[in-house]
Amino acid sequence: MVKTVCGFDVAIVGAGFAGLYMLHRLRGLGIPARIYEAGSGVGGTWFWNRYPGARCDVQSLEYSYSFSDELEQEWHWTERYAAQPEILRYANHVAERFDLTRDIQFETRVTGAIFDDTTDRWTIRTDRGDLIPATFCVMATGCLSTAKVPDFKGLEIFRGCRYHTGHWPHKGVDFTGQRVGVIGTGSSAIQSIPIIAGQASHLFVFQRTPNFSVPAHNGPLSPAVTRDWEMNRNEYRHRARTSRTGILHEWGTESALDVPPEERDRAYELRWQRGGLGFGAAFSDIGVNKEANDTAAEFVRAKICGIVRDRAVAEMLLPKDYPLGTKRLCVDTGYYATFNRENVTLVDVRSTPIEEITPAGVRTSTAEYAVDSLVFATGFDAMTGTLCSIDIRGRAGAALKQKWSQGPRSYLGIMVAGFPNLFTITGPGSPSVLSNMIVSIEQHVDWIADCLAFLRQHRLTAIEPTVDAENAWVAHVNEVADSTLYPRANSWYMGANIPGKPRVFMPYVGGLGVYRQKCDEVAANGYEGFTLSAPAPEADRSVDRP
Ligand code: NAP
């Protein structure tokens, strides 16, 4: 039965870190809001991705909210890189501490959102039959939330158990004694493979493209590190907000080509020993100059050869056909060494592609591999997949999916021309996945909250980017991407992992600090590039009504 729910001015889709903070900010402004969340709990990515070894690749102290001093003081991370259960506990703690759950409707998937030109309002539709009118709609749907299982022939006839890393069973999976196949070698696979290998009687890793991975050197957070963070937190937070990625890397200022090879290797070695994503920041031009990039790539390839004993296996693990960092650099614990185990077999499905899934396992062009369980670590329809799976209709019934059929178009990655009052937190065209997501989320949420406060103050009820501003931003996003090495990889950043998806570099690579400044300037200039409108006299629906 269709039921109509009234009384909320902002509908928020998703109760991950973006949705939770959005709700909190709107509460603070006295703007009624409600979250609709498909899962049965908060946490978004960290609610769904419970695969063995799931862990953040940004350090826990940095991968946390900065908006509340009290929250910062009372929460204590235990490890350098927090594991999924701890991050999920943190999300739950935030939801409880700020009493957010009472305004979240769980187990409710938003299926559509339609804008009514005559009333300037959205109606949000859910799979439970709700029809929710809202002046504003905020998509806090995450960038990596639509899990993708490739369309393998025979998938349905497999007799064993199938899992996707992004939809892991809540009760966990014990692979003890099983023959297991993992398809994919991206971040999720690289984290889970060492742990699954420790349980399985035999593990087959089906690799299409080898990845660059650097060690995490994870461990308990030392009291000295914690003390330093507490004493200098405000400065660290400020630096993160204005930095290129929202992560406190020490960025090398020299070209990798301007230093002698021994010195260069010492710099790489230092960062390899430190662990983490900072490896890719060793020199100023790793991301933009192929020759400079080659030096970093070669260093990692030498490391792989030093770790993996079997020459043929090591050779298969060497990434060779794209620059380091143009697919997301992975951060691992014992990944390459896992291939020294007797019970692990690496299968190259680039040269011998998977032809079908059989009742017993996986058949490639040259062999069949019998397995009890199959793990799809095959990634996501990133950045646009979730938004396009919701039937979002803007002015005159135009579909977002149609508008984005040649690639996403937005102004600042925050709003889309033709879709007034619809915000996309960390949407395509913003730094999002190239940054510390929580820093980017806070920036977007604060911008949106300030924007709504501005509209309320000026008794305006609609905001929409102009087509000109959107076109200029899309051109800028593409231009900056083209000045880097990123477009040279078949990555999910480019949509290349989804058959038929247009090849467009989706995130904004100009840097978080620069981007923040641009967003702030736009706001300071009275929301330059946006059209703001007041309600029609007969339908005063401004958001500051008591
Ligand atoms: P992913 O990086 O997209 O990796 C998917 C893997 O599946 C790739 O190796 C891909 O090969 C393979 N694959 C896809 N379709 C295939 C097919 N038909 N046949 C054979 N292989 C196939 O996905 P992910 O590992 O889930 O990671 C996605 C993103 O999530 C990461 O890049 C990262 O941003 C985020 N993440 C972060 C963390 C963390 O914080 N530590 C952990 C996990 C994920 P190709 O490369 O050839 O396409």
Side-chain angles (χ1 to χ4, degrees), residues 478-502:
N478 291 334
E479 188 189 350
V480 183
D482 288 341
S483 70
T484 73
L485 300 174
Y486 275 109
R488 298 197 190 189
N490 290 323
S491 65
W492 58 257
Y493 298 137
M494 293 288 295
N497 63 328
I498 304 295
K501 194 166 171 171

Side-chain angles (χ1 to χ4, degrees), residues 220-240:
L221 264 180
S222 76
V225 168
T226 310
R227 210 168 30 250
D228 174 65
W229 177 262
E230 282 165 1
M231 285 174 63
N232 300 296
R233 200 177 59 225
N234 289 345
E235 189 211 322
Y236 289 149
R237 291 298 197 187
H238 174 74
R239 264 173 49 198

Side-chain angles (χ1 to χ4, degrees), residues 100-117:
L100 299 176
T101 317
R102 67 183 155 90
D103 280 324
I104 305 176
Q105 184 170 319
F106 291 106
E107 297 179 336
T108 304
R109 183 171 290 280
V110 168
T111 54
I114 296 181
F115 184 74
D116 183 340
D117 287 292

Side-chain angles (χ1 to χ4, degrees), residues 46 49 51 55-58 144 150 152 164-165 183-189 191 206-209 211 327-328 331 349-350 354 377-380 433 490 492-493 497:
W46 303 104
N49 286 263
Y51 60 85
R55 192 177 285 288
C56 190
D57 59 8
V58 176
L144 293 155
F152 289 122
H164 189 288
T165 48
I183 301 180
T185 49
S187 302
S188 304
Q191 290 187 328
F206 297 94
Q207 171 189 272
R208 187 165 65 182
T209 311
N211 251 300
K327 275 172 177 270
R328 171 81 170 205
V331 178
V349 296
R350 170 68 56 87
I354 296 174
T378 42
F380 301 86
V433 291
N490 290 323
W492 58 257
Y493 298 137
N497 63 328

